Amino acid sequence: MKSIGVLMTCPMHKYLEQQLENHFNLFKLWHCNSSITEFLKTHQGNTIRAVVGNTEIGADAELIASLPSLEIVASYSVGLDKIDLRKCEEKGIRVANTPDVLTDDVADLAIGLILGVLRGICASDAYVRIGKWKDADFGLATKFSGKSVGIVGLGRIGSAIAKRAEAFGCSISYFSRSQKPFANYKFYSNIIDLATSCQILIVACALTEETRHIINREVIDALGPKGILINIGRGAHVDETELVSALLEGRLGGAGLDVYENEPEVPEELLGLGNVVLQPHVGSDTVETSDAMADLVIANLKAHFSKKSLLTPVI
């Protein structure tokens, strides 16, 4: 398989890059100093049969059209919003992602963000470091155990978050496209009703046109001035302008965010808020999970080029 051309769209996990170089003829799109078209002309775009992308750069219609020999897009992520799935279907291009292996890490971070916001972990850490504890106690925080938790999207990650929150004695409810037969949690067919009923609202659904800005002013106001919003989904799930306004005006109690609308840009207004915990989109970024995701990308590519079934097919 060493002769098979694989295009990597941007820097990812070093282990993944090494494995791709070991097994395939790897091209790196970020080495391009000109247009994609010029890059592909220089690097024989017609020999590239696979694309490996992620949540930053996937495979849009322009890239797909530039690669006449493209057979498969293997995403180093579970999200598919950076891949033009319709164009892939039209051209018969296979698509694979990396579900399951990152579920635990993302769910763990969601709980960490909740604790970070409610218990003021980041703020109290800073309080100790700058010496303020010598002058006065930090003050009271808010309890997590026993809170009502609403989850937007009860898929793999949403379900894993629910199990963890249950261990804290939280009541669980959820909003989804349809009621899940396996879940014993209260189902809401209207996201406003879910936001009204819970104290902590967690966004864990896939990003689609239907879920873009699903967290809007109405949802935020329903969650209210004591409510906490957690987003470990995608930045575009939340109307960021409305989120910032609600936090500044006290219409929302706090937020824990791992994702943003215009990454890596973060609204400057959020940086000085003590009731907000910010992470740089690291939901699945542990050594163990990153290695497992890389192995799954390689396994899907090997399966495809060996004419075997994909391990985690999307198309």
Side-chain angles (χ1 to χ4, degrees):
M1 294 185 183
K2 190 64 177 171
S3 63
I4 295 172
V6 175
L7 179 66
M8 197 175 188
T9 61
C10 60
M12 301 177 207
H13 187 28
K14 192 66 179 177
Y15 171 71
L16 172 60
E17 189 176 326
Q18 291 169 346
Q19 290 301 304
L20 287 169
E21 287 178 331
N22 288 342
H23 296 285
F24 303 99
N25 182 19
L26 182 63
F27 298 91
K28 302 172 185 179
L29 188 58
W30 64 96
H31 287 178
C32 169
N33 293 318
S34 55
S35 68
I36 292 175
T37 302
E38 289 300 314
F39 175 85
L40 294 174
K41 280 182 182 178
T42 304
H43 293 82
Q44 299 177 308
N46 62 338
T47 68
I48 293 172
R49 296 168 62 188
V51 166
V52 174
N54 65 0
T55 56
E56 183 180 345
I57 303 176
D60 59 15
E62 180 186 0
L63 182 61
I64 293 168
S66 301
L67 300 171
S69 300
L70 184 62
E71 299 174 24
I72 181 171
V73 176
S75 183
Y76 179 67
S77 71
V78 68
L80 300 166
D81 49 287
K82 296 296 185 179
I83 301 172
D84 192 324
L85 295 176
R86 184 175 298 176
K87 185 64 68 175
C88 288
E89 283 188 307
E90 287 175 3
K91 290 183 166 288
I93 296 167
R94 303 301 307 278
V95 177
N97 63 348
T98 57
D100 296 324
V101 293
L102 51 70
T103 297
D104 284 339
D105 277 348
V106 178
D108 288 350
L109 183 64
I111 299 300
L113 286 170
I114 296 170
L115 289 167
V117 175
L118 292 179
R119 298 303 302 269
I121 292 174
C122 296
S124 57
D125 175 84
Y127 195 83
V128 173
R129 291 176 188 272
I130 63 177
K132 283 192 174 183
W133 190 22
K134 297 173 183 176
D135 302 321
D137 289 341
F138 176 68
L140 299 178
T142 302
K143 185 176 182 177
F144 174 36
S145 296
K147 289 286 190 291
S148 55
V149 172
I151 301 175
V152 182
L154 200 69
R156 294 180 181 92
I157 293 172
S159 297
I161 294 169
K163 289 178 181 177
R164 285 158 173 74
E166 280 188 294
F168 284 85
C170 296
S171 61
I172 311 295
S173 53
Y174 70 100
F175 165 80
S176 188
R177 286 177 297 180
S178 59
Q179 190 166 0
K180 306 298 182 183
F182 59 81
N184 293 320
Y185 311 128
K186 184 172 178 56
F187 168 67
Y188 286 92
S189 59
N190 184 303
I191 192 171
I192 303 296
D193 293 338
L194 175 67
T196 302
S197 72
C198 68
Q199 296 164 291
I200 302 166
L201 185 65
I202 305 171
V203 185
C205 58
L207 179 62
T208 65
E209 284 306 311
E210 291 73 25
T211 62
R212 187 175 298 274
H213 282 192
I214 193 170
I215 308 300
N216 54 25
R217 185 185 183 97
E218 192 175 2
V219 173
I220 291 170
D221 285 346
L223 188 54
K226 293 185 178 180
I228 303 297
L229 177 68
I230 303 295
N231 190 8
I232 47 79
R234 289 288 183 266
H237 282 132
V238 177
D239 186 330
E240 217 163 66
T241 301
E242 291 294 347
L243 173 64
V244 169
S245 295
L247 288 164
L248 292 176
E249 295 166 11
R251 291 184 288 109
L252 182 67
L257 308 172
D258 184 44
V259 289
Y260 311 87
E261 279 206 82
N262 299 297
E263 295 178 5
E265 300 299 324
V266 177
E268 188 173 350
E269 298 92 333
L270 297 179
L271 303 181
L273 296 179
N275 59 342
V276 176
V277 174
L278 306 172
Q279 292 287 289
H281 201 155
V282 293
S284 61
D285 288 1
T286 65
V287 172
E288 297 88 345
T289 290
S290 296
D291 285 354
M293 289 168 63
D295 288 339
L296 188 50
V297 169
I298 299 298
N300 274 312
L301 291 174
K302 284 184 173 181
H304 172 75
F305 291 117
S306 299
K307 301 190 183 304
K308 297 178 181 178
S309 298
L310 299 180
L311 281 75
T312 53
V314 176
I315 297 176

